[in-house]
């Protein structure tokens, strides 16, 4: 848990560090540098030849292309949103949108139905974004910045679904994450030629070093170590430290202030994120007919039957939400709350409410012949 929390804290510093450095580097150019350097360093520690070969199998290559594109879209749009709306608001909008998109993809690709928590989170996210976009007096959110945050959230929600498909088709997800980040940096790298201004400044070099080495390479490694030891819901809850850190740093160091409507919108977004991240309560009496039907006793409103994919990994369903870090960490360090948990090194962490055992009716005790009474010492 300490590793997961440390990773979330590192990711929460992305937006504040970008604004605190106050460089002239274009956000897209900054994202390209972060992905190229961070993906390269991360790959040196996590990628092996068998894992690379697994990414080019038939049925895997197409999903890898999608993974690269949505990773590039997330990086560019998230940093652009931070530049326009501030660290706290950009983080809230982005990760408030992720549960909606990941739940929709889970429904379309896997037929999973969103439970009550997902619907509450969706309503909160939609209402929060509506409040952020409302015109009003005083400080309010900038519409383009909010829209960039929504696109970033949609990209990351799609990345979660893509990672699930990669794992299901036998890809090594420990290699997929750094490859996706590095290739996404290559996709965005032409922007470095179009807008290279400010990259040679000392502040810019320090910022790139922190974003690439601290928040990407180190953050991924910490999350990889911690995600295999906790459930998906726990990983999602710990990931809430990211918007919290961004909000606190934005308020204390950057003096970020919002109007009443925008503040209420951000609070709604974060509230919805809390609802969909907290573990579902277990039902009382799991030995009844309902538990026997679903074989798990889960309470998250999704398809609760445990499945085993062709790679032999047990996949426990844990509801329609996935929370993760700012670049997307699946098996190499990602909490995939869409279904089960992050796959790391061939293992899967099952979410709460999806137990591999089946409900077994209690045995009936057959009464034997009556035994003669035992005389008491007094007799």
């Amino acid at each position: 848990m300490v590793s997961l929390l440390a990773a979330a804290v590192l990711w929460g510093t992305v937006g504040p560090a970008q604004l605190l450095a106050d460089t002239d580097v274009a956000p897209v150019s900054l994202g390209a540098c972060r992905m190229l350097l961070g993906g390269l360093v991360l790959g040196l520690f996590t990628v092996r030849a068998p894992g690379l070969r697994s990414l080019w199998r038939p049925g895997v290559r197409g999903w890898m292309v999608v993974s690269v594109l949505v990773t590039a879209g997330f990086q560019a749009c998230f940093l652009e949103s931070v530049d326009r709306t501030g660290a706290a608001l950009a983080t809230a909008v982005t990760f408030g949108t992720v549960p909606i998109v990941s739940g929709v993809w889970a429904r379309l690709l896997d037929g999973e139905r969103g439970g009550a928590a997902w619907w509450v989170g969706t309503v909160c996210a939609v209402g929060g974004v509506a409040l952020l976009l409302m015109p009003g007096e005083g400080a309010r959110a900038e519409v383009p910045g909010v829209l960039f945050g929504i696109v970033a959230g949609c990209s990351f929600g799609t990345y979660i679904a893509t990672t699930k498909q990669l794992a299901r088709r036998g890809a090594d997800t420990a290699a997929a994450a750094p490859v996706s980040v590095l290739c996404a940096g290559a996709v965005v790298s032409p922007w470095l030629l179009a807008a290279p201004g400010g990259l040679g400044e000392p502040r810019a070099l320090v910022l790139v070093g922190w974003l690439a080495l601290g928040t990407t390479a180190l953050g991924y490694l910490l999350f990889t170590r911690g995600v295999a030891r906790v459930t998906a819901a726990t990983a999602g809850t710990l990931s809430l430290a990211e918007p919290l850190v961004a909000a606190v740093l934005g308020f204390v160091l950057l003096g970020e202030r919002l109007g009443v409507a925008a503040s209420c919108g951000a609070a709604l977004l974060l509230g919805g994120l809390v609802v969909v991240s907290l573990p579902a309560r277990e039902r009382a009496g799991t030995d009844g007919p309902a538990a026997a039907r679903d074989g798990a006793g889960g309470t998250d409103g999704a398809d609760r039957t445990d499945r085993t994919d062709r790679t032999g990994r047990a996949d426990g369903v844990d509801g329609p939400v996935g929370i993760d870090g700012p670049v997307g960490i699946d098996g190499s360090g990602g909490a995939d709350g869409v279904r089960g948990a992050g796959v790391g090194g061939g293992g899967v962490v099952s979410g709460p409410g999806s137990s591999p055992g089946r409900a077994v009716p209690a045995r009936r005790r057959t009464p034997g012949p009556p035994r003669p009474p035992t005389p008491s010492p007094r007799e």
Side-chain angles (χ1 to χ4, degrees):
M1 292 180 64
V2 175
S3 298
L4 291 177
L5 187 60
V9 171
L10 287 174
W11 294 327
T13 65
V14 172
Q18 178 186 352
L19 297 179
L20 196 62
D22 191 24
T23 66
D24 296 327
V25 182
V28 181
S29 299
L30 182 62
C33 293
R34 179 193 182 189
M35 288 185 285
L36 289 171
L37 180 57
L40 179 62
V41 174
L42 181 64
L44 293 177
F45 287 94
T46 59
V47 175
R48 300 294 180 266
L52 282 177
R53 288 194 294 268
S54 72
L55 302 181
W56 306 111
R57 294 174 180 171
V60 174
R61 291 189 291 263
W63 287 106
M64 275 301 300
V65 173
V66 176
S67 178
V68 170
L69 293 178
V70 295
T71 300
F74 171 81
Q75 283 291 338
C77 292
F78 178 69
L79 295 178
E80 191 71 41
S81 179
V82 169
D83 187 62
R84 292 171 178 266
T85 64
L89 189 55
T91 307
V93 171
T94 297
F95 293 99
T97 308
V98 168
I100 302 176
V101 179
S102 60
V104 170
W105 280 121
R107 175 66 173 175
L108 294 176
L109 296 175
D110 301 321
E112 297 177 8
R113 297 185 300 274
W118 182 80
W119 284 106
V120 171
T122 299
V123 171
C124 288
V126 173
V129 171
L131 286 174
L132 291 174
L133 296 177
M134 282 181 58
E137 298 180 358
R140 69 182 186 90
E142 184 181 344
V143 173
V146 173
L147 295 179
F148 274 117
I150 294 174
V151 175
C154 292
S155 299
F156 188 71
T158 304
Y159 178 82
I160 291 174
T162 302
T163 299
K164 190 63 186 176
Q165 297 301 317
L166 289 172
R168 187 167 297 167
R169 286 161 172 78
D172 183 1
T173 50
V179 170
S180 295
V181 173
L182 185 59
C183 292
V187 170
V188 183
S189 60
W191 200 270
L192 294 173
L193 300 177
L199 285 173
E201 300 175 2
R203 282 173 167 261
L205 296 177
V206 172
L207 176 61
V208 169
W210 172 248
L211 294 182
L213 304 179
T215 67
T216 302
L218 180 58
Y220 276 31
L221 288 175
L222 289 173
F223 209 104
T224 302
R225 293 181 178 181
V227 74
R229 300 185 180 95
V230 300
T231 64
T234 301
T237 303
L238 292 174
S239 295
L240 291 173
E242 181 180 345
L244 178 62
V245 169
V248 171
L249 292 178
F251 182 82
V252 174
L253 299 180
L254 304 171
E256 294 182 353
R257 302 292 188 274
L258 292 174
V260 176
S263 298
C264 292
L268 259 181
L269 283 167
L270 293 177
L273 193 57
V274 170
V275 169
V276 298
S277 299
L278 292 178
R281 296 179 180 178
E282 295 183 359
R283 279 183 304 196
T286 56
D287 56 348
R293 282 196 304 270
D294 62 26
T299 59
D300 53 41
D303 181 9
R304 301 176 180 84
T305 54
D306 287 348
R307 300 178 184 176
T308 303
D309 59 21
R310 285 176 289 183
T311 63
R313 298 187 182 98
D315 187 6
V317 177
D318 184 52
V321 178
I323 312 294
D324 210 325
V327 183
I329 309 157
D330 45 52
S332 80
D336 182 357
V338 175
R339 195 166 178 178
V343 184
V348 172
V349 183
S350 299
S354 47
S355 167
R358 291 182 296 176
V360 179
R363 297 182 183 176
R364 294 187 177 180
R365 203 169 180 178
T366 305
R371 300 173 61 182
T374 304
S376 66
R378 293 181 181 179
E379 298 176 351

